[in-house]
Amino acid sequence: MAGISVMLECLTLLNTNEVTMLLKKMMISLLVLSATVLVGCATKNPPQGLEANVMQADMVFTNGKIYTVDASNSWAEAIAIKGDKIVYVGSNEGAAPYVGKSTQAVDLAGKLMLPGFVEGHFHTTTQGIILHGPDLQTDSMEDMLAKLKAYADENPELNFINGWGVRPNTYGPGEPTASMLDAVIPDRPVYLWQVDGHSAWVNTKAMEMAGLNKDTPDTVPGVSYFERDKEGNPTGYIVEVPAQVQIFKHFVTINDAYIREGMATWFPEYTKAGITAVHDFGWAGVDQDTAIGILKDFEQDGRLTIRVYGSFYWNDASIDPVPIAKKMRDENQTGLVQVSALKINMDGDDDKYSTLLVDGYADDPKASPPPVIPFDVINDAAVRADKEKLNLICHCFGDMAVRKFLDAVELAKNSNPEWKRRAVASHAILVHPDDYPRFKALDATYDTTGQWMALDPYTGVITPQRIGEDRMQRLFPIKAILEAGGNVSLGSDFPAASYVADFRPLNAITQAVTRQMLGEPDMSILGGEQMRLTVAQAIRANTYGAAYGIGKEQLLGSLETGKLADLIVLDQNLFEIDPHEIYKAKVLLTIMDGKVRYRDGI
């Protein structure tokens, strides 16, 4: 009150105009102060004294160990959800005002909560094409052929035998032949997808019915082709997607119904694994509008339980991808299915000598594979796509492919005005050390697959033959790129793989942390202990890091007020158990878009 008295005494010394002007200034100051306070209340967790003004949440979780994956890697006890948004993250006491009569209150009893897993490299429709017939993932040719024959015998009505998951180590080194399949199924066409999705294996009957013979030209010479014997006859081994699809379409109509059938059962499995969003690296082998239409239909009928951020998959130099990708982007910017990127297919895999390597192949120095798309064509498209604000992502397996992709990103960055572009180099089993710092410099993301980070029968046998022991020591350099300041991401590439087709993020995190196969703690560590990620680093790579690569880190990837309500609860604290046991943890609850998508025991 003393302050008010002094102010009044001062006012008596001023004339009327001066008083008026002073009062106006005081009112403006009070209005600015009031606005500032209101903005602060709207953007921060309300103090406990404002219980009456706090919204009633739909769900409130308390007594948890909530690892937020925010910029400070902070922990919290409680979280509140309203609609599809997180409205509070903090202490139990701070969450209390959000609990109303209709709020679902959940006591986590000390369980670990994380952001929903974001997959940095995924294929949501490819399983609709590939995952038909028996799963043939095994390390024994004898077992694989026995599984195939048993399936054929159990389904005598099938005129076409389709299978998937064939591992190259079962027949490597070298390629399989049609005669191997003829020995078990000679009278019906057989078409088997290799586990990487980039090769196929057919029997003689399939080649006859598809008209594949000595006179059949290669689909994309030197890139996508039919393996041949010395006389030029196809052997039954088919390399890369264009040639694979050319033969496959003789037996299967890749239409809406066929793809839906192959996709329908998988979404519940992804949700059960804690996946809430994926970066889709291309709907290969299917019309793009058909793929998007199927996904949006699944969204409408409630079967789509993940967010899908898609791309146009470009692997044909004769096609200008920019107008196609732009149209897809412009037409798909709302809902759970969105498009924002152009995916460039730069090279193939090392087992087929189609990977682009800076220092060539250790076991065949003369091998000099061309890129899937010529470098000058890639550079031109990259600049034009970037100008349209399309993100650039890439299948670049070898270190030369990574370098050429980063060159294209740098060219685009230097050619166009600055914007929040997000480039992603995926797979990148090898990156030349000179290129590690470029990820930070270009704000590019290094994405790779945790499930591949071990000396499994492919990586431990075939890859050393191709690149030699020295380069094996820096295989999958995710730790080195992270330490160089780059953003890193984990993505399974499901259903494709080098050895095991597996979409479960907890498996990826386990192997990224241990650099050993699941359940094999005594095996040699891929690249040594210095290549291992910490648990926190691996979790971030499979949440915020992947969201950043998509360009959606403001909405996804961490548990913060205002972000989308995508979160999971686990039965074990990954930070407190043996890292080799992480993959055994169970997801108890998955919430996506504020809705419970999977629940088991909580």
Side-chain angles (χ1 to χ4, degrees):
M1 293 300 290
I4 294 175
S5 299
V6 172
M7 181 182 70
L8 291 173
E9 288 177 8
C10 291
L11 289 175
T12 60
L13 300 176
L14 302 175
N15 61 38
T16 303
N17 289 335
E18 289 173 326
V19 170
T20 302
M21 290 299 295
L22 183 58
L23 287 173
K24 285 182 177 180
K25 290 180 180 180
M26 291 171 62
M27 288 300 296
I28 292 171
S29 297
L30 287 170
L31 287 171
V32 171
L33 178 60
S34 298
T36 302
V37 171
L38 288 172
V39 169
C41 289
T43 58
K44 296 182 180 180
N45 295 324
Q48 282 193 279
L50 297 178
E51 285 89 346
N53 298 322
V54 172
M55 69 180 74
Q56 177 180 299
D58 297 323
M59 298 186 76
V60 172
F61 296 88
T62 56
N63 298 316
K65 293 186 178 178
I66 301 173
Y67 186 57
T68 67
V69 197
D70 65 7
S72 303
N73 291 315
S74 61
W75 291 80
E77 293 179 309
I79 192 166
I81 296 171
K82 178 71 173 179
D84 64 349
K85 296 290 195 304
I86 297 171
V87 295
Y88 175 83
V89 181
S91 66
N92 290 331
E93 293 76 16
Y98 290 87
V99 179
K101 292 182 180 179
S102 61
T103 301
Q104 183 180 351
V106 180
D107 186 341
L108 290 173
K111 293 183 177 63
L112 178 68
M113 176 182 283
L114 298 173
F117 290 126
V118 182
E119 276 292 289
H121 183 155
F122 215 75
H123 296 279
T124 48
T125 58
T126 306
Q127 68 270 37
I129 302 171
I130 293 179
L131 303 188
H132 293 261
D135 178 353
L136 300 173
Q137 295 186 79
T138 177
D139 293 329
S140 163
M141 175 65 80
E142 183 179 354
D143 289 346
M144 192 276 293
L145 292 176
K147 284 185 178 183
L148 182 64
K149 186 177 187 306
Y151 176 80
D153 291 345
E154 291 165 4
N155 297 277
E157 77 286 358
L158 294 178
N159 295 320
F160 170 64
I161 304 299
N162 187 189
W164 64 279
V166 178
R167 293 173 175 167
N169 59 287
T170 59
Y171 49 76
E175 289 80 31
T177 62
S179 61
M180 296 177 183
L181 296 177
D182 296 343
V184 292
I185 308 177
D187 56 341
R188 286 182 280 176
V190 176
Y191 187 107
L192 306 181
W193 295 90
Q194 189 167 291
V195 72
D196 62 2
H198 288 266
S199 299
W201 179 17
V202 297
N203 68 351
T204 300
K205 191 69 172 179
M207 290 195 290
E208 291 174 354
M209 293 180 67
L212 176 58
N213 54 49
K214 186 176 183 178
D215 298 324
T216 305
D218 288 336
T219 312
V220 184
V223 175
S224 184
Y225 55 88
F226 309 107
E227 191 69 39
R228 301 173 189 270
D229 61 21
K230 293 179 180 180
E231 286 73 41
N233 297 302
T235 63
Y237 191 62
I238 307 171
V239 177
E240 283 300 335
V241 174
Q244 292 169 254
V245 172
Q246 178 181 327
I247 301 304
F248 191 65
K249 284 184 175 180
H250 281 276
F251 305 102
V252 171
T253 301
I254 307 176
N255 58 15
D256 187 287
Y258 185 79
I259 296 169
R260 284 176 190 269
E261 178 189 352
M263 291 174 62
T265 61
W266 286 97
F267 293 113
E269 296 301 315
Y270 304 150
T271 303
K272 185 177 179 180
I275 299 170
T276 55
V278 301
H279 200 181
D280 195 302
F281 266 51
W283 300 301
V286 59
D287 176 77
Q288 308 298 290
D289 290 336
T290 297
I292 293 172
I294 291 171
L295 288 166
K296 288 193 170 181
D297 284 348
F298 283 152
E299 178 181 1
Q300 288 298 314
D301 66 23
R303 284 187 285 177
L304 183 64
T305 55
I306 57 174
R307 304 179 191 278
V308 180
Y309 296 99
S311 60
F312 175 65
Y313 180 22
W314 182 40
N315 62 1
D316 185 345
S318 68
I319 295 173
D320 182 355
V322 177
I324 302 172
K326 182 178 183 299
K327 181 175 182 292
M328 288 172 60
R329 188 270 312 278
D330 293 346
E331 293 177 352
N332 298 282
Q333 285 297 298
T334 60
L336 298 180
V337 184
Q338 300 182 22
V339 177
S340 61
L342 168 63
K343 178 199 175 175
I344 301 165
N345 193 13
M346 183 77 75
D347 64 349
D349 301 333
D350 56 354
D351 71 297
K352 296 179 291 294
Y353 297 94
S354 56
T355 290
L356 302 179
L357 299 172
V358 171
D359 296 315
Y361 287 85
D363 59 344
D364 187 0
K366 293 182 180 179
S368 182
V372 173
I373 300 169
F375 296 134
D376 60 336
V377 178
I378 289 173
N379 288 341
D380 172 70
V383 171
R384 291 186 293 111
D386 183 86
K387 187 176 181 179
E388 298 291 349
K389 295 188 176 180
L390 287 161
N391 289 321
L392 298 172
I393 59 180
C394 183
H395 168 113
C396 29
F397 213 76
D399 52 3
M400 177 60 79
V402 174
R403 176 170 290 177
K404 290 296 186 179
F405 176 64
L406 294 177
D407 288 347
V409 173
E410 186 170 9
L411 179 63
K413 181 180 175 68
N414 293 337
S415 301
N416 298 319
E418 190 56 40
W419 63 284
K420 291 184 178 180
R421 58 178 58 82
R422 295 296 160 79
V424 181
S426 192
H427 294 315
I429 68 164
L430 272 178
V431 180
H432 195 282
D434 291 348
D435 294 319
Y436 293 169
R438 299 182 70 193
F439 283 88
K440 179 181 180 181
L442 296 172
D443 198 17
T445 292
Y446 173 80
D447 173 83
T448 197
T449 302
Q451 288 94 330
W452 302 0
M453 293 182 196
L455 292 167
D456 58 46
Y458 177 94
T459 304
V461 177
I462 295 176
T463 301
Q465 295 173 23
R466 301 290 186 266
I467 67 174
E469 290 299 328
D470 288 345
R471 283 181 285 182
M472 283 294 295
Q473 298 308 305
R474 52 184 177 86
L475 209 63
F476 302 109
I478 187 170
K479 183 70 170 287
I481 291 171
L482 183 63
E483 291 176 342
N487 182 60
V488 300
S489 165
L490 288 176
S492 67
D493 192 22
F494 188 76
S498 61
Y499 173 68
V500 57
D502 173 40
F503 57 85
R504 298 169 182 82
L506 288 174
N507 293 3
I509 290 169
T510 303
Q511 292 197 190
V513 171
T514 65
R515 308 276 291 197
Q516 296 165 305
M517 290 178 66
L518 301 178
E520 299 287 344
D522 297 325
M523 77 180 302
S524 296
I525 301 169
L526 176 61
E529 292 189 11
Q530 71 278 4
M531 298 286 278
R532 288 171 159 174
L533 293 183
T534 66
V535 173
Q537 289 170 337
I539 290 173
R540 175 173 285 272
N542 227 148
T543 52
Y544 185 89
Y548 190 91
I550 299 171
K552 296 294 182 180
E553 77 281 0
Q554 296 302 316
L555 297 174
L556 311 171
S558 60
L559 301 177
E560 300 180 72
T561 301
K563 284 197 169 186
L564 290 169
D566 294 3
L567 53 86
I568 61 173
V569 177
L570 303 175
D571 69 339
Q572 298 185 65
N573 190 329
L574 307 186
F575 294 87
E576 296 177 352
I577 61 177
D578 183 338
H580 291 92
E581 302 292 308
I582 287 174
Y583 74 100
K584 295 180 180 179
K586 304 295 183 185
V587 176
L588 302 178
L589 179 72
T590 301
I591 291 177
M592 192 280 292
D593 217 34
K595 300 179 179 66
V596 174
R597 307 292 179 161
Y598 172 75
R599 195 168 199 162
D600 181 21
I602 188 171

